Amino acid sequence: RVAPILGLMGKKVVHMGGSGAGVAGKLANNYLLAVSNIATAEAMNLGIKLGLDPHQLADLVNGSSGQCWSSSVNNPIQGVSPDAPVEKDFDGGFAVGLMRKDLGLAMKAARESGAELELAKRAEEVYEHVEDSEGMKDFSVVYRWLERRNVGGTVKMVR
């Protein structure tokens, strides 16, 4: 009965089970998104620092096993995902502070349930630093934060 109403909030409605199951699914999904967003930013930063063309790298990743929502829909490199927040200086989208909140909720649920989240603490630290330096930008601004922290020059592995 509520599927049409829930459909207004997202593209896909999945019945997860009894009371609380939807929240549990949202926490698990958003934890994965928090981590994959950082990994996407790091992978793009690495490839670019190794001398790869960012658009070719994005094509490779998005056609291979590394593809995820953060790399294909919300890619932090200009010109890769036409509607991504990077095209508007990371304005709009899902704010870093909201991702920190969701990550914190997932970490709390993990502690309460006994689930181990090995990457959560470091992800929390990254988003804290990003929010301090970038403010209320879209959480894909992690890429710009990493880029600004780069040391040394580009190592051309490509001949």
Side-chain angles (χ1 to χ4, degrees):
R1 289 189 339 226
V2 299
I5 295 168
L6 294 175
L8 298 172
M9 296 170 31
K11 292 179 183 169
K12 185 174 183 179
V13 177
V14 178
H15 181 7
M16 298 298 293
S19 180
V23 171
K26 179 184 186 299
L27 292 175
N29 183 72
N30 283 7
Y31 171 71
L32 179 59
L33 178 59
V35 173
S36 67
N37 178 65
I38 295 170
T40 296
E42 290 180 331
M44 295 302 295
N45 186 51
L46 173 63
I48 292 166
K49 291 294 284 181
L50 292 175
L52 296 175
D53 175 84
H55 296 93
Q56 288 180 328
L57 176 58
D59 284 345
L60 171 76
V61 168
N62 290 327
S64 304
S65 58
Q67 189 277 331
C68 62
W69 185 86
S70 295
S71 69
S72 62
V73 174
N74 212 46
N75 195 292
I77 303 299
Q78 283 191 321
V80 172
S81 303
D83 296 324
V86 66
E87 303 301 336
K88 297 172 285 202
D89 192 38
F90 299 98
D91 288 331
F94 192 67
V96 176
L98 293 174
M99 180 50 78
R100 281 186 65 199
K101 174 195 64 82
D102 281 1
L103 181 57
L105 292 171
M107 292 169 70
K108 181 177 187 280
R111 281 190 304 275
E112 291 172 357
S113 67
E116 188 62 38
L117 299 179
E118 286 292 325
L119 302 176
K121 185 63 180 161
R122 182 62 187 134
E124 181 182 50
E125 292 167 358
V126 167
Y127 285 116
E128 180 179 349
H129 292 303
V130 171
E131 187 175 30
D132 288 346
S133 69
E134 297 287 350
M136 295 302 294
K137 299 287 189 178
D138 179 79
F139 74 115
S140 62
V141 78
V142 165
Y143 174 79
R144 184 164 70 190
W145 175 79
L146 283 171
E147 190 179 38
R148 289 177 177 169
R149 294 175 42 128
N150 283 337
V151 293
T154 299
V155 176
K156 295 285 184 183
M157 293 189 72
V158 181
R159 298 200 200 294

